[in-house]
Amino acid sequence: MKRQVLDPYSIGMGDRFAHQAKAQLQACILASHHGVAIVPVWNKSNREHTIIGSDPTATRAAADAAVKALHWDKPYFCDADHITLQTVDRFLTPCDFYTIDVADEIGKPASAADTEDFAKRHADLLGTVSLKGVDETFEVTQDLLRNTASKFLSAVKKAGEVYRKIAQAKGADNFIPEVSMDETDSAQTPVELLIILAAIADEQIPIQTIAPKFSGRFNKGVDYVGNVEQFEREIALDFAAIAYAIEHFRLPVNLKPSIHSGSDKFSIYPAIHATMKRFNAGVHLKTAGTTWLEELIGLAEADGDGLALAKEVYAEAYGHREELCAPYASVIDIDPAKLPSPVEVNGWTSLQYTMALRHNPSESQYNSSFRQLLHVGFKVAAKMGTRYLDLLESNEAVVARNVTENLYKRHIAPVFLGQQSS
């Protein structure tokens, strides 16, 4: 088997209930009709599997079935999202893309010996560092080199442990490795990213994507909150740092940034597209649970039993909002005062429900707090079991249409084709 290689453009897609793989793949097919090849990557974390009570084999089965049904003859992958050494085992057979998450290890001081060895090995980083494609230069002192290495080496070594466990089970050429540094408190500087990439090369992890942290808020399922110009500066520096690392640290030539967007970061999508074009490089855009929200929108549009269930999901989520929000506290901003009461929602029409939920910031009835609560409320639908899944299947056409349109028009088109989202 030849080495698995991730093409320049790829999109990570969440599918909470493993029912929308065909609709998601259809969005990639639409992109191919416009001359743009997008590699679909179905991602689902251990946390999501645990909440729902699902297994990674279901994600793989759904992806394989969609590929067969739609005659997709291009690459596709299943991502063990935000995996750790403790949770990787159940993903070893069904997955071929691994997002290795070491954020919890960042800041744990490396040993003095490891730090000193790294500083000696990478003394060429000392002095003025220039990155192609950006005007800024960076001064790297001995103290900066050592302090930064001490901050990140433990995390990279942990990534190496996870990588080697996967490689031993699957073979080093049979999966795509990604290292995730995004779920931490502060954005990495270009110098920090260079040092991280040097350490990853030292660990002999042939990463094909890396997920850095950016400034601003990347809340689940809603738009970016922050300075878009600052984001564009940061992503340009990341592209430049990655290009430097490919040249100097002998990392894979197709290494690219992975943007863990939490979905729907419409305001920064033009910046991502422009920066990709500027550097003639690719990107992995990872979406999250908006497919689950499109399921709810589709059910509400279907009216009748579908709308009734969508209202019931909200009522249950509203009643258990503290429990549901706790695991996602760092990536949601819900204003309780803006949450309508279940009694009010129960009186809504299909159109009122969908206008409040669908992410259209120009719509006066759009409610980001309502949307974010339902985003983390998928556990409610999971507890409904076959009642929820049966309604998805009986309303497949309207649900699938919403899933495909959302993924293609609001994500793929603006990021990869440069078209304004709608």
Side-chain angles (χ1 to χ4, degrees):
M1 180 183 293
K2 67 178 182 179
R3 176 174 173 264
Q4 296 277 21
V5 175
L6 189 63
D7 290 344
Y9 294 167
S10 54
I11 185 161
M13 309 177 297
D15 185 11
R16 297 282 195 262
F17 297 99
H19 270 59
Q20 306 308 325
K22 283 197 298 183
Q24 292 171 319
L25 184 56
Q26 187 61 43
C28 295
I29 292 172
L30 288 175
S32 70
H33 293 165
H34 289 81
V36 177
I38 311 289
V39 177
V41 181
W42 281 275
N43 49 253
K44 193 169 181 181
S45 69
N46 189 66
R47 176 171 63 184
E48 290 158 3
H49 281 297
T50 301
I51 289 172
I52 289 176
S54 58
D55 188 85
T57 55
T59 305
R60 165 58 67 181
D64 289 347
V67 164
K68 182 177 180 180
L70 298 183
H71 308 290
W72 181 260
D73 59 359
K74 301 176 182 65
Y76 69 100
F77 298 93
C78 286
D79 177 10
D81 192 16
H82 287 290
I83 212 67
T84 66
L85 197 61
Q86 291 71 38
T87 57
V88 70
D89 285 347
R90 68 193 299 215
F91 294 87
L92 290 174
T93 298
C95 291
D96 48 12
F97 188 121
Y98 293 83
T99 300
I100 302 171
D101 190 336
V102 292
D104 288 345
E105 301 293 323
I106 294 173
K108 294 182 180 180
S111 70
D114 285 346
T115 301
E116 188 60 29
D117 286 346
F118 180 90
K120 289 179 179 177
R121 208 165 38 246
H122 294 285
D124 55 318
L125 285 172
L126 293 170
T128 302
V129 175
S130 298
L131 301 175
K132 294 177 182 177
V134 296
D135 295 332
E136 299 173 65
T137 59
F138 305 91
E139 293 297 321
V140 182
T141 64
Q142 283 280 5
D143 284 347
L144 178 58
L145 184 62
R146 287 191 174 92
N147 290 340
T148 305
S150 179
K151 178 180 179 181
F152 290 103
L153 281 181
S154 293
V156 174
K157 284 186 175 294
K158 182 63 69 175
E161 290 181 43
V162 181
Y163 167 76
R164 285 184 286 276
K165 182 170 185 175
I166 301 166
Q168 185 176 14
K170 300 189 75 71
D173 292 338
N174 297 329
F175 65 98
I176 306 294
E178 172 179 307
V179 171
S180 169
M181 298 275 184
D182 71 301
E183 293 195 354
T184 187
D185 293 334
S186 56
Q188 291 92 32
T189 67
V191 171
E192 286 178 332
L193 185 56
L194 282 177
I195 290 170
I196 289 167
L197 291 169
I200 287 172
D202 289 348
E203 280 289 311
Q204 298 182 20
I205 309 172
I207 59 168
Q208 297 188 40
T209 68
I210 184 162
K213 169 76 172 181
F214 298 99
S215 59
R217 293 279 294 179
F218 284 75
N219 290 336
K220 293 291 187 181
V222 293
D223 206 352
Y224 175 75
V225 180
N227 186 314
V228 174
E229 290 183 358
Q230 174 64 15
F231 170 83
E232 188 163 9
R233 171 185 175 272
E234 290 176 3
I235 194 173
L237 290 168
D238 288 342
F239 272 109
I242 287 169
Y244 183 100
I246 291 170
E247 180 180 354
H248 292 269
F249 307 145
R250 297 185 178 180
L251 286 167
V253 295
N254 65 321
L255 174 60
K256 61 182 180 178
S258 178
I259 302 173
H260 290 196
S261 69
S263 302
D264 289 37
K265 302 302 174 283
F266 302 150
S267 61
I268 62 172
Y269 284 176
I272 295 171
H273 179 79
T275 309
M276 282 196 303
K277 292 300 182 184
R278 174 180 162 191
F279 284 88
N280 191 29
V283 74
H284 180 63
L285 178 71
K286 183 172 287 188
T287 67
T290 54
T291 288
W292 138 249
L293 295 180
E294 294 303 321
E295 288 178 340
L296 277 184
I297 289 169
L299 291 178
E301 276 191 356
D303 217 339
D305 290 343
L307 177 59
L309 184 135
K311 291 176 178 179
E312 183 181 341
V313 168
Y314 177 73
E316 286 294 309
Y318 185 91
H320 297 86
R321 56 189 182 277
E322 291 186 7
E323 168 198 340
L324 294 171
C325 291
Y328 298 93
S330 64
V331 286
I332 53 175
D333 280 320
I334 294 174
D335 182 352
K338 293 183 179 178
L339 291 173
S341 72
V343 172
E344 179 185 350
V345 172
N346 196 49
W348 282 358
T349 64
S350 170
L351 184 60
Q352 286 175 301
Y353 193 102
T354 58
M355 285 195 303
L357 181 54
R358 183 177 283 119
H359 192 181
N360 181 1
S362 65
E363 169 55 58
S364 61
Q365 300 305 309
Y366 167 64
N367 185 327
S368 65
S369 292
F370 179 77
R371 181 176 172 84
Q372 287 179 88
L373 178 57
L374 284 170
H375 193 292
V376 301
F378 61 94
K379 184 177 182 180
V380 173
K383 288 182 176 180
M384 293 177 172
T386 56
R387 188 158 67 94
Y388 177 73
L389 300 180
D390 287 348
L391 274 174
L392 286 185
E393 291 167 11
S394 62
N395 294 282
E396 179 180 2
V398 63
V399 171
R401 174 176 53 77
N402 278 283
V403 170
T404 300
E405 287 183 359
N406 172 64
L407 188 59
Y408 178 73
K409 291 185 177 180
R410 299 189 183 96
H411 298 275
I412 288 175
V415 172
F416 299 107
L417 284 73
Q419 298 175 0
Q420 189 170 353
S421 62
S422 59

